[in-house]
């Protein structure tokens, strides 16, 4: 037995795994690997090659398309032991082969060709699961040959039956959460685009779409859910080029670079052209397009980071938020690019760097959009307040003469407006006495109280404005002079009945005189006619309503006065 273990350890002390009674869930162990640049070596010739020490998490870049891995397994139990080798990243491979060797003889061989229709029966989602049966008290050497289309990266894990099932159940759970959040953001921004037609919303949504596709593809979710792997998934890697393209379009839109930052805009356009050209190449030759993709992505990150710094220095209020989000994206993508190039070890952070970077930047871009919406809403409210201030009298809060004229003219020019329309001009009787006796503050209180009565007792749709001083004007759409006379006479009675409590503690009573005129064609002649009728009302003793130049209403005037 001692001799047997010495023989086992002579193969490689670092890559020797002992199997005993303990449950097996091995996700971190040593291996040796060899890169076959000829891509044609067989197992016999590979055994004589010089292997390099490594771990079960390998990332070797684009120059290791065919890689061999070896380690040994020793069963110390008096009965056979069933194990399962998991390769979670099998979905991006071209072919995987496992050789189980004992005493220089191949006792078992499993091959998965991902371009074959049988691959779907050999994979669990995107994970290759290869059974290994170890007889009692034996040592077997395991060789794994990995052929890939582009980047060589994979993880190996060893489980017993129970832990193999647990690993398959929990696989891609984190990626599913990330994809779900990104899809929710995408749908929300599509809705925002439909409602607002802002280009940055659709660029952001498309950025999320391409980023989600790339994450779901690169981390095996598409393989797990839809069985997309191997050659059939290669063209989906174009999302790696689409994603930064839409990010650049988002930057140009949100920062208005063409109008405000022309130098930065030219840099962004240059990078965008490179990405589009590589994308077009990928449509026809995806393998050739993927070779410079990582380098192009790194160049894009550096340029966009530099542009965002430049825009920040020039004082754009959103640049600091974009710079923060893009800085996170940059940091995690540097780790990921180092991983894909084979310069950094295979860890969760490096292997998931792009996904983490996309997720963090997506959240910050969402914040930028929401922040911009708040800024725009604030500007719109300020503009609305300025518009109100421009259209209203500051004391009474009634409309001013300009707004009155514009609105009535617009109604007169509207073919759908139901005419006739009347206007009425009101004047507070003996208003000067309030100012002389009580002062201008009481006079202002009288004007405000008078305005409140006008607003309260004029019909819906009436336009009430202050002409200036103690004069007011009203437009009554869909009212002939007879109808207007009835409305204004009621208004005059309400004013006469009202009492005003001013800060002087005196109870004040006011009356008003009114002149009414019907608009025939234009507003200006009607105002002149209403003003004439007002002067007629004042000349007849005030506190009355007079219609201009209408014999039938003269009789009605007398009837109203008697009542």
């Amino acid at each position: 037995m001692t001799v047997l273990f010495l023989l086992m350890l002579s193969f490689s002390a670092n890559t020797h795994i002992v199997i005993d009674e303990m449950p097996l869930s091995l996700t971190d162990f040593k291996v040796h690997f060899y890169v076959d640049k000829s891509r044609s070596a067989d197992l016999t010739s590979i055994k004589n090659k010089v292997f390099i020490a490594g771990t079960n998490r390998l990332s070797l870049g684009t120059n290791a398309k065919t890689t061999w891995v070896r380690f040994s397994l020793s069963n110390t139990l008096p009965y056979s032991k069933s194990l399962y080798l998991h390769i979670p990243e099998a979905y991006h491979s071209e072919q995987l082969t496992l050789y189980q060797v004992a005493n220089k003889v191949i006792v078992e061989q499993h091959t998965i060709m991902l371009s074959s229709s049988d691959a779907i029966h050999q994979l669990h989602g995107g994970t290759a699961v290869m059974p290994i049966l170890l007889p009692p008290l034996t040592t077997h050497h395991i060789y794994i040959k990995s052929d890939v289309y582009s980047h060589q990266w994979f993880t190996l894990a060893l489980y017993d039956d129970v832990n193999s099932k647990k690993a398959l159940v929990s696989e891609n759970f984190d990626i599913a959460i990330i994809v779900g959040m990104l899809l929710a953001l995408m749908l929300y921004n599509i809705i925002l685009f439909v409602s607002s037609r802002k280009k940055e919303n659709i660029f952001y949504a498309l950025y999320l779409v391409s980023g989600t596709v790339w994450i779901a593809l690169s981390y095996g979710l598409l393989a797990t859910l839809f069985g997309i792997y191997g050659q059939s998934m290669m063209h989906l890697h174009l999302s790696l080029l689409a994603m930064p393209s839409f990010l650049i379009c988002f930057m140009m839109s949100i920062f208005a670079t063409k109008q405000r930052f022309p130098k930065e805009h030219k840099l962004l356009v240059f990078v965008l052209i490179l990405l589009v050209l590589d994308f077009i190449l990928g449509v026809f030759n995806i393998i050739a397009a993927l070779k410079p993709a990582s380098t192009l992505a790194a160049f894009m990150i550096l340029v966009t980071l530099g542009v965002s710094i430049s825009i920040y220095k020039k004082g754009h209020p959103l640049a600091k938020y974009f710079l923060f989000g893009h800085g996170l994206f940059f940091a995690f993508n540097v780790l990921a690019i180092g991983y894909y190039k084979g310069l950094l070890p295979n860890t969760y952070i490096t292997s998931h760097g792009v996904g983490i970077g996309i997720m963090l930047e997506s959240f910050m871009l969402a914040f930028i959009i929401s922040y911009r919406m708040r800024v725009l809403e604030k500007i719109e409210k300020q503009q609305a307040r300025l518009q109100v201030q421009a259209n209203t009298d500051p004391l009474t809060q009634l409309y001013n003469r300009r707004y009155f004229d514009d609105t009535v003219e617009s109604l007169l020019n509207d073919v759908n407006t139901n005419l006739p329309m009347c206007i009425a001009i009101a004047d507070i009787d003996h208003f000067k006495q309030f100012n002389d006796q009580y002062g201008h503050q009481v006079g202002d209180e009288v004007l405000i109280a008078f305005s409140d009565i006008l607003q309260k007792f004029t019909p819906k749709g009436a336009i009430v404005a202050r002409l200036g001083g103690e004069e007011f004007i009203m437009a009554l759409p869909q009212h002939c002079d007879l109808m207007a006379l009835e409305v204004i006479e009621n208004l005059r009675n309400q004013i006469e009945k009202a009492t005003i409590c001013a800060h002087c503690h005196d109870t004040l009573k006011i009356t008003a005189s009114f002149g009414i005129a019907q608009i025939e064609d234009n507003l200006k002649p009607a105002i002149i006619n209403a003003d004439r009728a007002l002067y007629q009302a004042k000349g007849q003793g005030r506190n009355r309503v007079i219609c201009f130049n209408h014999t039938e209403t003269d009789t009605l005037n007398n009837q109203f006065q008697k009542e």
Side-chain angles (χ1 to χ4, degrees):
M1 196 67 168
T2 303
V3 174
L4 176 63
F5 273 101
L6 287 175
L7 289 172
M8 291 188 297
L9 292 173
S10 66
F11 176 75
S12 174
N14 291 330
T15 62
H16 179 71
I17 300 170
V18 177
I19 308 302
D20 52 25
E21 293 282 2
M22 298 294 292
L24 185 65
S25 178
L26 197 56
T27 58
D28 187 13
F29 54 93
K30 303 292 184 180
V31 299
H32 283 96
F33 69 91
Y34 172 77
V35 176
D36 177 16
K37 294 186 178 180
S38 70
R39 308 199 70 182
S40 59
D42 57 13
L43 180 62
T44 302
S45 60
I46 281 295
K47 290 179 180 179
N48 299 319
K49 302 294 183 181
V50 178
F51 277 62
I52 303 171
T55 71
N56 61 315
R57 297 175 177 272
L58 288 178
S59 176
L60 304 174
T62 58
N63 296 320
K65 290 184 173 60
T66 297
T67 299
W68 291 77
V69 175
R70 73 182 186 189
F71 57 91
S72 63
L73 295 172
S74 296
N75 182 11
T76 62
L77 302 172
Y79 53 85
S80 297
K81 184 71 173 179
S82 294
L83 304 177
Y84 298 90
L85 178 70
H86 287 210
I87 308 178
E89 295 87 0
Y91 52 84
H92 82 102
S93 303
E94 181 180 359
Q95 180 174 312
L96 291 167
T97 304
L98 180 145
Y99 299 94
Q100 186 175 342
V101 179
N103 298 321
K104 299 183 179 180
V105 177
I106 299 174
V107 296
E108 194 67 56
Q109 178 178 338
H110 299 284
T111 300
I112 300 176
M113 294 184 62
L114 280 87
S115 59
S116 169
S117 59
D118 292 334
I120 193 171
H121 304 296
Q122 299 172 292
L123 295 175
H124 294 264
T127 301
V129 180
M130 296 180 172
I132 299 173
L133 179 63
L134 292 177
L137 304 174
T138 58
T139 295
H140 285 193
H141 306 306
I142 306 299
Y143 288 83
I144 299 143
K145 180 185 178 185
S146 173
D147 293 290
V148 298
Y149 294 102
S150 178
H151 295 69
Q152 184 70 261
W153 51 279
F154 57 84
T155 303
L156 305 177
L158 275 169
Y159 301 104
D160 56 22
D161 183 61
V162 173
N163 286 297
S164 174
K165 294 175 181 177
K166 289 181 180 179
L168 290 172
V169 169
S170 61
E171 200 167 86
N172 290 322
F173 182 73
D174 54 344
I175 302 303
I177 292 175
I178 293 174
V179 167
M181 291 189 293
L182 295 182
L183 287 176
L185 281 173
M186 176 200 70
L187 291 174
Y188 175 65
N189 276 272
I190 289 175
I191 294 171
L192 285 180
F193 172 74
V194 171
S195 61
S196 67
R197 299 295 175 180
K198 301 265 185 209
K199 290 187 295 183
E200 56 265 24
N201 289 118
I202 196 63
F203 288 143
Y204 178 53
L206 292 171
Y207 165 79
L208 290 171
V209 170
S210 52
T212 301
V213 169
W214 196 89
I215 290 173
L217 173 71
S218 298
Y219 303 125
L221 190 62
L222 289 180
T224 299
L225 296 179
F226 306 109
I228 300 175
Y229 42 76
Q231 184 67 39
S232 62
M233 77 171 195
M234 289 305 295
H235 276 84
L236 291 177
H237 279 96
L238 289 174
S239 58
L240 179 63
L241 299 169
M243 179 176 55
S245 300
F246 291 126
L247 180 63
I248 289 175
C249 291
F250 175 86
M251 289 181 67
M252 291 191 292
S253 177
I254 202 78
F255 294 127
T257 55
K258 186 175 182 180
Q259 296 79 21
R260 300 183 60 183
F261 309 101
K263 291 182 180 179
E264 291 81 354
H265 182 77
K266 290 178 182 178
L267 275 173
L268 293 176
V269 169
F270 174 69
V271 178
L272 183 61
I273 290 172
L274 293 179
L275 290 168
V276 171
L277 290 175
D278 199 31
F279 186 94
I280 295 172
L281 173 62
V283 172
F284 301 99
N285 189 338
I286 185 63
I287 302 300
L290 286 178
K291 286 182 179 179
S294 296
T295 302
L296 188 56
F299 178 65
M300 168 265 173
I301 292 171
L302 289 174
V303 170
T304 51
L305 194 63
V307 166
S308 59
I309 292 172
S310 176
I311 293 174
Y312 169 72
K313 289 181 177 179
K314 292 179 180 179
H316 197 290
L318 297 178
K320 59 183 177 181
Y321 303 112
F322 182 87
L323 187 57
F324 177 72
H326 202 50
L328 293 174
F329 179 78
F330 171 78
F332 282 98
N333 273 266
V334 166
L335 297 177
I337 290 170
Y339 163 72
Y340 290 120
K341 290 288 188 181
L343 303 175
L344 293 176
N346 185 335
T347 65
Y348 186 88
I349 297 297
T350 56
S351 64
H352 291 70
V354 175
I356 296 171
I358 292 172
M359 181 182 66
L360 294 176
E361 183 170 50
S362 297
F363 291 158
M364 187 52 60
L365 296 184
F367 172 79
I368 289 172
I369 288 176
S370 63
Y371 180 83
R372 186 170 184 266
M373 289 172 62
R374 290 198 300 272
V375 170
L376 291 176
E377 287 174 0
K378 185 177 180 180
I379 293 173
E380 289 174 358
K381 288 179 180 179
Q382 290 174 342
Q383 291 175 339
R385 284 197 297 268
L386 291 174
Q387 187 66 37
V388 169
Q389 291 173 4
N391 292 331
T392 57
D393 173 60
L395 176 64
T396 63
Q397 298 303 305
L398 295 178
Y399 293 120
N400 58 25
R401 174 66 181 271
R402 183 180 65 180
Y403 178 85
F404 179 86
D405 289 351
D406 291 344
T407 304
V408 173
E409 290 288 357
S410 178
L411 288 173
L412 292 173
N413 293 329
D414 187 354
V415 295
N416 296 318
T417 300
N418 294 321
L419 297 176
M421 184 187 305
C422 280
I423 62 169
I425 298 178
D427 188 291
I428 301 175
D429 296 332
H430 305 295
F431 177 73
K432 186 174 181 299
Q433 295 178 3
F434 293 102
N435 284 334
D436 294 342
Q437 183 176 353
Y438 299 105
H440 287 284
Q441 184 173 350
V442 172
D444 289 347
E445 292 175 4
V446 170
L447 290 172
I448 293 170
F450 185 78
S451 302
D452 292 340
I453 296 171
L454 293 184
Q455 287 183 307
K456 184 176 181 181
F457 292 101
T458 49
K460 184 178 180 181
I463 305 162
V464 184
R466 184 185 179 193
L467 284 176
E470 68 271 25
E471 281 197 329
F472 298 81
I473 189 168
M474 290 155 280
L476 302 172
Q478 302 179 28
H479 282 67
C480 64
D481 51 5
L482 184 62
M483 298 166 63
L485 180 61
E486 183 177 356
V487 169
I488 300 302
E489 183 61 30
N490 176 63
L491 179 59
R492 186 197 64 77
N493 285 327
Q494 295 296 333
I495 293 169
E496 189 176 21
K497 294 175 184 178
T499 57
I500 300 173
C501 296
H503 82 284
C504 62
H505 304 299
D506 287 348
T507 299
L508 305 179
K509 301 286 290 185
I510 60 172
T511 61
S513 302
F514 295 84
I516 299 174
Q518 184 168 315
I519 302 176
E520 300 299 336
D521 296 309
N522 298 312
L523 174 62
K524 190 173 182 180
I527 292 177
I528 294 172
N529 292 337
D531 197 47
R532 289 173 180 172
L534 172 63
Y535 276 98
Q536 186 180 355
K538 288 182 177 182
Q540 294 181 10
R542 291 184 170 83
N543 191 24
R544 64 190 64 239
V545 182
I546 297 293
C547 278
F548 175 78
N549 194 26
H550 201 294
T551 56
E552 293 182 2
T553 56
D554 290 340
T555 304
L556 290 173
N557 284 334
N558 295 329
Q559 291 177 356
F560 278 122
Q561 298 304 321
K562 290 177 182 179
E563 293 174 0

